[in-house]
Protein backbone atom coordinates (compact mmCIF):
# COMPACT_ATOMS: atom_id res chain seq x y z
CA UNK A 1 0.00 0.00 0.00
CA UNK A 2 1.42 3.39 -0.96
CA UNK A 3 0.52 6.87 0.24
CA UNK A 4 0.65 8.45 -3.19
CA UNK A 5 2.53 6.82 -5.99
CA UNK A 6 2.26 9.44 -8.70
CA UNK A 7 3.85 12.84 -9.20
CA UNK A 8 1.56 15.79 -8.39
CA UNK A 9 -0.32 17.22 -11.36
CA UNK A 10 -0.01 20.93 -12.16
CA UNK A 11 -2.27 22.95 -9.86
CA UNK A 12 -5.44 24.38 -11.39
CA UNK A 13 -5.04 27.48 -9.18
CA UNK A 14 -1.80 28.83 -7.72
CA UNK A 15 -0.85 32.13 -6.11
CA UNK A 16 2.58 33.53 -6.85
CA UNK A 17 4.19 35.80 -4.25
CA UNK A 18 2.83 37.62 -1.19
CA UNK A 19 -0.32 39.72 -0.83
CA UNK A 20 0.72 41.88 -3.80
CA UNK A 21 1.40 38.81 -5.95
CA UNK A 22 -0.78 37.30 -8.66
CA UNK A 23 -2.79 34.23 -9.64
CA UNK A 24 -1.52 31.54 -11.98
CA UNK A 25 -4.27 29.42 -13.57
CA UNK A 26 -3.82 26.24 -15.54
CA UNK A 27 -5.79 27.13 -18.69
CA UNK A 28 -8.26 24.24 -18.84
CA UNK A 29 -9.65 25.28 -22.22
CA UNK A 30 -6.32 24.16 -23.74
CA UNK A 31 -6.12 20.75 -22.06
CA UNK A 32 -5.29 18.01 -22.82
CA UNK A 33 -3.32 19.04 -25.91
CA UNK A 34 -1.47 21.91 -24.24
CA UNK A 35 -0.49 22.47 -20.62
CA UNK A 36 -0.37 26.26 -20.48
CA UNK A 37 -0.67 28.70 -17.62
CA UNK A 38 -2.35 32.07 -17.45
CA UNK A 39 -0.96 34.76 -15.13
CA UNK A 40 -3.82 36.83 -13.73
CA UNK A 41 -3.08 40.31 -12.37
CA UNK A 42 -6.55 41.87 -12.34
CA UNK A 43 -10.17 40.95 -11.71
CA UNK A 44 -11.25 41.58 -15.30
CA UNK A 45 -8.92 38.82 -16.52
CA UNK A 46 -10.10 36.58 -13.69
CA UNK A 47 -13.75 37.23 -14.57
CA UNK A 48 -13.08 36.21 -18.18
CA UNK A 49 -11.14 33.13 -17.03
CA UNK A 50 -14.03 31.95 -14.84
CA UNK A 51 -16.67 32.66 -17.47
CA UNK A 52 -14.66 30.94 -20.24
CA UNK A 53 -13.96 27.92 -17.97
CA UNK A 54 -10.19 28.42 -18.00
CA UNK A 55 -10.64 27.83 -14.29
CA UNK A 56 -13.69 25.71 -13.53
CA UNK A 57 -15.21 23.26 -11.10
CA UNK A 58 -17.05 24.55 -8.05
CA UNK A 59 -14.26 24.50 -5.41
CA UNK A 60 -11.58 25.82 -7.82
CA UNK A 61 -13.84 28.73 -8.82
CA UNK A 62 -14.28 29.56 -5.13
CA UNK A 63 -10.54 29.47 -4.44
CA UNK A 64 -9.78 31.65 -7.48
CA UNK A 65 -12.47 34.14 -6.46
CA UNK A 66 -11.08 34.40 -2.91
CA UNK A 67 -7.71 35.35 -4.37
CA UNK A 68 -9.61 37.62 -6.76
CA UNK A 69 -10.73 39.72 -3.80
CA UNK A 70 -7.02 40.34 -3.06
CA UNK A 71 -6.32 41.19 -6.71
CA UNK A 72 -9.19 43.67 -6.67
CA UNK A 73 -7.97 45.39 -3.52
CA UNK A 74 -4.29 45.53 -4.50
CA UNK A 75 -4.50 48.89 -6.34
CA UNK A 76 -5.47 50.55 -3.04
CA UNK A 77 -2.12 49.53 -1.56
CA UNK A 78 0.34 49.41 -4.44
CA UNK A 79 0.43 52.58 -6.55
CA UNK A 80 2.00 50.80 -9.51
CA UNK A 81 -0.95 48.40 -9.63
CA UNK A 82 -3.62 51.05 -10.16
CA UNK A 83 -4.23 54.74 -10.67
CA UNK A 84 -7.25 55.18 -8.41
CA UNK A 85 -5.49 55.28 -5.09
CA UNK A 86 -7.38 57.07 -2.35
CA UNK A 87 -5.34 57.45 0.79
CA UNK A 88 -5.58 59.42 3.98
CA UNK A 89 -2.58 61.24 5.55
CA UNK A 90 -1.18 58.06 7.14
CA UNK A 91 -0.77 56.43 3.73
CA UNK A 92 -3.70 54.07 4.34
CA UNK A 93 -6.71 54.01 2.05
CA UNK A 94 -9.70 55.44 3.82
CA UNK A 95 -11.76 52.70 5.51
CA UNK A 96 -14.93 53.72 3.63
CA UNK A 97 -13.05 53.56 0.33
CA UNK A 98 -11.65 50.14 1.27
CA UNK A 99 -15.08 48.66 2.05
CA UNK A 100 -16.68 50.27 -0.97
CA UNK A 101 -14.04 48.72 -3.22
CA UNK A 102 -14.40 45.35 -1.44
CA UNK A 103 -18.13 45.37 -2.16
CA UNK A 104 -17.54 46.33 -5.80
CA UNK A 105 -15.05 43.50 -6.29
CA UNK A 106 -17.37 41.02 -4.57
CA UNK A 107 -20.35 41.98 -6.76
CA UNK A 108 -18.26 41.96 -9.92
CA UNK A 109 -16.80 38.48 -9.35
CA UNK A 110 -20.15 37.12 -8.15
CA UNK A 111 -21.56 37.84 -11.61
CA UNK A 112 -19.04 35.57 -13.36
CA UNK A 113 -21.02 32.30 -13.07
CA UNK A 114 -24.36 31.65 -11.32
CA UNK A 115 -24.64 27.97 -10.36
CA UNK A 116 -21.64 26.87 -8.27
CA UNK A 117 -22.38 28.16 -4.78
CA UNK A 118 -18.72 27.79 -3.78
CA UNK A 119 -18.12 31.06 -5.64
CA UNK A 120 -20.54 32.95 -3.39
CA UNK A 121 -19.46 31.00 -0.31
CA UNK A 122 -15.82 32.05 -0.82
CA UNK A 123 -16.66 35.69 -1.62
CA UNK A 124 -18.96 35.93 1.40
CA UNK A 125 -16.34 34.36 3.66
CA UNK A 126 -13.81 36.98 2.53
CA UNK A 127 -16.22 39.87 3.09
CA UNK A 128 -17.27 38.49 6.49
CA UNK A 129 -13.60 38.29 7.54
CA UNK A 130 -13.04 41.92 6.54
CA UNK A 131 -16.14 43.08 8.46
CA UNK A 132 -15.07 41.09 11.51
CA UNK A 133 -11.78 43.04 11.56
CA UNK A 134 -13.19 46.44 10.60
CA UNK A 135 -13.57 47.88 14.11
CA UNK A 136 -10.03 47.15 15.29
CA UNK A 137 -7.79 47.04 12.20
CA UNK A 138 -6.48 49.46 9.59
CA UNK A 139 -7.33 48.67 5.94
CA UNK A 140 -3.77 47.50 5.25
CA UNK A 141 -3.96 44.98 8.11
CA UNK A 142 -7.39 43.83 6.90
CA UNK A 143 -5.95 43.41 3.41
CA UNK A 144 -3.16 41.19 4.78
CA UNK A 145 -5.74 39.16 6.73
CA UNK A 146 -7.82 38.74 3.60
CA UNK A 147 -4.81 37.36 1.78
CA UNK A 148 -4.30 34.92 4.67
CA UNK A 149 -7.99 33.99 4.45
CA UNK A 150 -7.72 33.24 0.71
CA UNK A 151 -4.67 31.04 1.41
CA UNK A 152 -6.66 29.28 4.16
CA UNK A 153 -9.59 28.61 1.79
CA UNK A 154 -7.10 27.14 -0.68
CA UNK A 155 -5.28 25.05 1.95
CA UNK A 156 -8.47 23.77 3.58
CA UNK A 157 -9.73 22.47 0.24
CA UNK A 158 -6.74 20.12 0.02
CA UNK A 159 -7.66 18.51 3.35
CA UNK A 160 -11.38 18.54 2.52
CA UNK A 161 -10.85 16.66 -0.74
CA UNK A 162 -8.62 14.10 0.97
CA UNK A 163 -11.32 13.51 3.62
CA UNK A 164 -13.99 13.06 0.93
CA UNK A 165 -11.67 10.57 -0.73
CA UNK A 166 -11.23 8.57 2.48
CA UNK A 167 -14.97 8.37 3.18
CA UNK A 168 -15.83 7.55 -0.41
CA UNK A 169 -13.13 4.91 -0.87
CA UNK A 170 -14.82 2.82 1.83
CA UNK A 171 -17.69 2.34 -0.62
CA UNK A 172 -15.42 0.86 -3.30
CA UNK A 173 -14.53 -2.81 -3.15
CA UNK A 174 -11.34 -4.05 -4.79
CA UNK A 175 -11.96 -4.59 -8.51
CA UNK A 176 -14.92 -2.19 -8.75
CA UNK A 177 -15.90 -0.57 -12.04
CA UNK A 178 -17.47 2.87 -11.73
CA UNK A 179 -18.69 5.71 -13.92
CA UNK A 180 -18.15 9.47 -13.60
CA UNK A 181 -19.36 12.56 -15.43
CA UNK A 182 -17.72 15.92 -16.15
CA UNK A 183 -14.57 16.59 -14.10
CA UNK A 184 -14.66 16.54 -10.32
CA UNK A 185 -10.94 16.00 -9.95
CA UNK A 186 -7.82 17.91 -9.03
CA UNK A 187 -8.50 20.28 -11.93
CA UNK A 188 -11.76 21.32 -10.25
CA UNK A 189 -10.31 21.71 -6.75
CA UNK A 190 -7.14 22.48 -4.85
CA UNK A 191 -5.60 19.05 -5.29
CA UNK A 192 -7.31 15.61 -5.33
CA UNK A 193 -10.86 16.47 -6.34
CA UNK A 194 -14.18 15.31 -4.91
CA UNK A 195 -15.54 12.34 -6.93
CA UNK A 196 -12.10 11.61 -8.39
CA UNK A 197 -10.49 11.88 -4.95
CA UNK A 198 -12.47 8.75 -4.07
CA UNK A 199 -10.87 6.90 -6.98
CA UNK A 200 -7.37 8.24 -6.27
CA UNK A 201 -7.69 7.29 -2.60
CA UNK A 202 -8.85 3.77 -3.48
CA UNK A 203 -5.88 3.53 -5.84
CA UNK A 204 -3.53 4.75 -3.09
CA UNK A 205 -4.98 2.02 -0.86
CA UNK A 206 -3.93 -0.56 -3.44
CA UNK A 207 -7.44 -1.31 -4.72
CA UNK A 208 -7.90 -2.16 -8.37
CA UNK A 209 -10.44 0.08 -10.05
CA UNK A 210 -11.82 0.77 -13.50
CA UNK A 211 -13.48 4.08 -14.39
CA UNK A 212 -15.87 4.78 -17.27
CA UNK A 213 -15.62 8.46 -18.22
CA UNK A 214 -18.57 10.23 -19.85
CA UNK A 215 -17.25 12.60 -22.52
CA UNK A 216 -19.62 15.30 -21.12
CA UNK A 217 -21.00 17.27 -24.02
CA UNK A 218 -21.01 20.09 -24.89
CA UNK A 219 -17.63 21.18 -23.52
CA UNK A 220 -16.13 17.72 -23.08
CA UNK A 221 -14.81 18.09 -19.53
CA UNK A 222 -14.87 14.27 -19.31
CA UNK A 223 -13.02 13.55 -22.54
CA UNK A 224 -10.54 16.40 -22.16
CA UNK A 225 -10.00 16.76 -18.42
CA UNK A 226 -11.07 13.66 -16.49
CA UNK A 227 -9.56 11.33 -19.10
CA UNK A 228 -6.30 13.32 -18.91
CA UNK A 229 -6.27 13.36 -15.11
CA UNK A 230 -6.97 9.64 -14.77
CA UNK A 231 -4.30 8.81 -17.34
CA UNK A 232 -1.77 11.07 -15.63
CA UNK A 233 -2.37 9.19 -12.40
CA UNK A 234 -2.28 5.78 -14.06
CA UNK A 235 -5.89 4.83 -13.36
CA UNK A 236 -7.50 2.24 -15.61
CA UNK A 237 -10.18 4.19 -17.51
CA UNK A 238 -12.40 3.99 -20.59
CA UNK A 239 -13.99 6.94 -22.39
CA UNK A 240 -17.62 6.73 -23.57
CA UNK A 241 -20.06 9.15 -25.18
CA UNK A 242 -22.72 10.38 -22.74
CA UNK A 243 -25.38 8.48 -24.67
CA UNK A 244 -23.58 5.17 -24.05
CA UNK A 245 -23.99 5.20 -20.26
CA UNK A 246 -27.33 3.33 -20.37
CA UNK A 247 -25.92 0.54 -22.51
CA UNK A 248 -22.82 0.26 -20.32
CA UNK A 249 -25.03 -0.07 -17.23
CA UNK A 250 -27.31 -2.56 -18.95
CA UNK A 251 -24.30 -4.71 -19.76
CA UNK A 252 -23.56 -4.77 -16.03
CA UNK A 253 -20.22 -3.02 -16.39
CA UNK A 254 -20.75 -0.41 -13.66
CA UNK A 255 -21.20 -0.93 -9.90
CA UNK A 256 -21.45 2.72 -8.92
CA UNK A 257 -21.80 6.23 -10.36
CA UNK A 258 -19.83 9.03 -8.64
CA UNK A 259 -20.18 12.71 -9.62
CA UNK A 260 -19.43 16.08 -8.09
CA UNK A 261 -21.91 18.89 -7.43
CA UNK A 262 -22.11 22.64 -7.93
CA UNK A 263 -24.86 23.39 -5.42
CA UNK A 264 -26.81 21.16 -3.04
CA UNK A 265 -30.08 22.47 -1.60
CA UNK A 266 -31.15 21.86 2.02
CA UNK A 267 -33.21 18.79 1.06
CA UNK A 268 -30.29 17.18 -0.81
CA UNK A 269 -31.33 18.05 -4.39
CA UNK A 270 -28.00 18.46 -6.21
CA UNK A 271 -27.07 20.57 -9.23
CA UNK A 272 -24.19 19.32 -11.33
CA UNK A 273 -23.02 19.32 -14.95
CA UNK A 274 -25.78 18.80 -17.50
CA UNK A 275 -26.36 15.08 -17.99
CA UNK A 276 -25.95 14.17 -14.32
CA UNK A 277 -29.71 13.93 -13.78
CA UNK A 278 -30.06 11.55 -16.75
CA UNK A 279 -27.30 9.38 -15.25
CA UNK A 280 -29.10 9.25 -11.90
CA UNK A 281 -32.30 8.10 -13.59
CA UNK A 282 -30.38 5.46 -15.55
CA UNK A 283 -28.60 4.34 -12.40
CA UNK A 284 -31.92 3.90 -10.59
CA UNK A 285 -33.36 1.93 -13.52
CA UNK A 286 -30.35 -0.41 -13.44
CA UNK A 287 -30.13 -0.58 -9.61
CA UNK A 288 -26.66 0.99 -9.65
CA UNK A 289 -25.87 3.20 -6.59
CA UNK A 290 -25.57 6.88 -7.50
CA UNK A 291 -23.30 8.97 -5.26
CA UNK A 292 -22.60 12.70 -5.19
CA UNK A 293 -19.29 13.85 -3.66
CA UNK A 294 -19.11 17.44 -2.40
CA UNK A 295 -17.70 19.56 0.41
CA UNK A 296 -19.72 21.57 2.93
CA UNK A 297 -19.04 24.70 0.84
CA UNK A 298 -21.22 23.27 -1.95
CA UNK A 299 -24.32 23.09 0.29
CA UNK A 300 -26.75 26.01 0.08
CA UNK A 301 -29.00 25.74 3.13
CA UNK A 302 -30.78 28.95 2.09
CA UNK A 303 -32.52 27.01 -0.66
CA UNK A 304 -35.11 24.52 0.63
CA UNK A 305 -34.96 22.48 -2.57
CA UNK A 306 -33.30 22.33 -5.97
CA UNK A 307 -36.06 24.13 -7.88
CA UNK A 308 -34.51 27.45 -6.89
CA UNK A 309 -30.93 26.65 -7.91
CA UNK A 310 -29.98 29.07 -10.71
CA UNK A 311 -29.06 27.13 -13.84
CA UNK A 312 -26.46 28.76 -16.06
CA UNK A 313 -27.49 29.12 -19.70
CA UNK A 314 -24.49 29.29 -22.02
CA UNK A 315 -23.82 30.34 -25.60
CA UNK A 316 -25.42 28.49 -28.51
CA UNK A 317 -22.01 27.97 -30.15
CA UNK A 318 -21.03 25.50 -27.43
CA UNK A 319 -23.69 23.12 -28.76
CA UNK A 320 -23.74 24.10 -32.44
CA UNK A 321 -19.95 23.74 -32.68
CA UNK A 322 -17.41 21.20 -31.43
CA UNK A 323 -14.06 22.80 -30.59
CA UNK A 324 -14.75 25.70 -32.97
CA UNK A 325 -15.97 23.48 -35.82
CA UNK A 326 -19.58 24.12 -36.84
CA UNK A 327 -21.70 20.94 -36.74
CA UNK A 328 -25.29 22.29 -36.77
CA UNK A 329 -26.86 24.31 -39.60
CA UNK A 330 -26.23 28.04 -39.29
CA UNK A 331 -29.30 29.69 -37.74
CA UNK A 332 -30.41 26.55 -35.85
CA UNK A 333 -32.01 27.44 -32.48
CA UNK A 334 -30.11 25.99 -29.51
CA UNK A 335 -30.90 25.47 -25.82
CA UNK A 336 -27.80 25.12 -23.65
CA UNK A 337 -28.36 24.72 -19.89
CA UNK A 338 -24.95 23.99 -18.36
CA UNK A 339 -26.31 22.20 -15.29
CA UNK A 340 -29.24 20.08 -14.16
CA UNK A 341 -30.65 19.18 -10.76
CA UNK A 342 -30.87 15.61 -9.51
CA UNK A 343 -33.65 15.17 -6.93
CA UNK A 344 -32.45 13.89 -3.56
CA UNK A 345 -34.56 10.74 -3.91
CA UNK A 346 -32.41 9.58 -6.84
CA UNK A 347 -29.17 10.02 -4.87
CA UNK A 348 -27.97 7.00 -2.89
CA UNK A 349 -25.61 9.07 -0.75
CA UNK A 350 -23.72 12.37 -0.56
CA UNK A 351 -20.06 11.93 0.34
CA UNK A 352 -18.72 14.92 2.28
CA UNK A 353 -15.57 15.60 4.29
CA UNK A 354 -17.57 14.67 7.43
CA UNK A 355 -18.85 11.33 6.16
CA UNK A 356 -21.56 9.90 3.93
CA UNK A 357 -25.10 11.32 4.13
CA UNK A 358 -27.38 8.36 3.50
CA UNK A 359 -30.30 8.42 3.01
CA UNK A 360 -30.35 11.88 1.49
CA UNK A 361 -33.08 13.90 3.21
CA UNK A 362 -33.51 17.39 4.62
CA UNK A 363 -32.92 16.03 8.17
CA UNK A 364 -29.23 15.20 7.63
O1 LIG B 1 -18.96 23.93 -15.97
P1 LIG B 1 -17.94 23.30 -15.06
O2 LIG B 1 -16.88 22.56 -15.79
O3 LIG B 1 -17.40 24.28 -14.05
O4 LIG B 1 -18.79 22.22 -14.24
C1 LIG B 1 -18.14 21.49 -13.23
C2 LIG B 1 -18.97 20.44 -12.62
O5 LIG B 1 -20.12 20.26 -12.94
C3 LIG B 1 -18.33 19.64 -11.52
O6 LIG B 1 -18.86 18.35 -11.48
C4 LIG B 1 -18.59 20.33 -10.17
O7 LIG B 1 -18.23 21.66 -10.21
C5 LIG B 1 -17.88 19.65 -9.06
S1 LIG B 1 -16.14 19.89 -9.13
C6 LIG B 1 -15.44 19.16 -7.78
Amino acid sequence: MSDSTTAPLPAAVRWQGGSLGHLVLLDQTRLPLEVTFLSVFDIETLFEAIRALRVRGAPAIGIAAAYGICLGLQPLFAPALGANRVQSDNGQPDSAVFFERLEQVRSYLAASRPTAVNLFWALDRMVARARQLSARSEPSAIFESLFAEACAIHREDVATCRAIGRHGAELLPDGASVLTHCNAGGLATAEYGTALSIFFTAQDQGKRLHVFVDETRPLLQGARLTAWELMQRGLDATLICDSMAGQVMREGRVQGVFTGADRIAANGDAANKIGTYSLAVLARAHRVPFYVAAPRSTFDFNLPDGSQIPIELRDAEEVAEIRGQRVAPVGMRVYNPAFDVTPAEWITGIITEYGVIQPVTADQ
Side-chain angles (χ1 to χ4, degrees), residues 98 104 174 207 333 356:
F98 177 88
Q104 278 171 0
D174 182 33
K207 290 180 188 165
R333 194 183 304 124
V356 183

Side-chain angles (χ1 to χ4, degrees), residues 6 15 18 101 129 160 199 232 246 256 267 270 302 312 316 324 337 349 357:
T6 43
W15 182 266
R101 175 71 184 160
R129 179 72 183 132
T160 297
F199 308 158
Q232 294 289 314
N267 71 340
N302 294 319
E312 179 180 17
I357 301 171

Side-chain angles (χ1 to χ4, degrees), residues 53 55-59 61 113 116 181-185 188-189 193-195 219 221 225 259-262 272-274 276 293 295 312 314 338-339:
L53 276 53
V55 59
R56 46 143 302 280
I61 294 170
R113 289 191 79 187
H181 190 69
C182 194
N183 173 268
T189 63
T194 55
L219 294 179
Q221 287 93 331
L225 308 177
T259 75
D262 285 80
N272 191 49
K273 180 52 55 193
I274 192 75
T276 304
E312 179 180 17
R314 293 185 61 87
F339 298 94

Side-chain angles (χ1 to χ4, degrees), residues 103-142:
E103 202 38 61
Q104 278 171 0
V105 175
R106 195 211 91 89
S107 309
Y108 178 72
L109 291 175
S112 57
R113 289 191 79 187
T115 304
V117 77
N118 306 59
L119 169 66
F120 309 97
W121 170 86
L123 292 171
D124 290 347
R125 179 166 156 179
M126 295 292 282
V127 171
R129 179 72 183 132
R131 293 216 180 103
Q132 191 186 41
L133 297 168
S134 63
R136 55 191 156 93
S137 302
E138 297 285 353
S140 60
I142 301 175

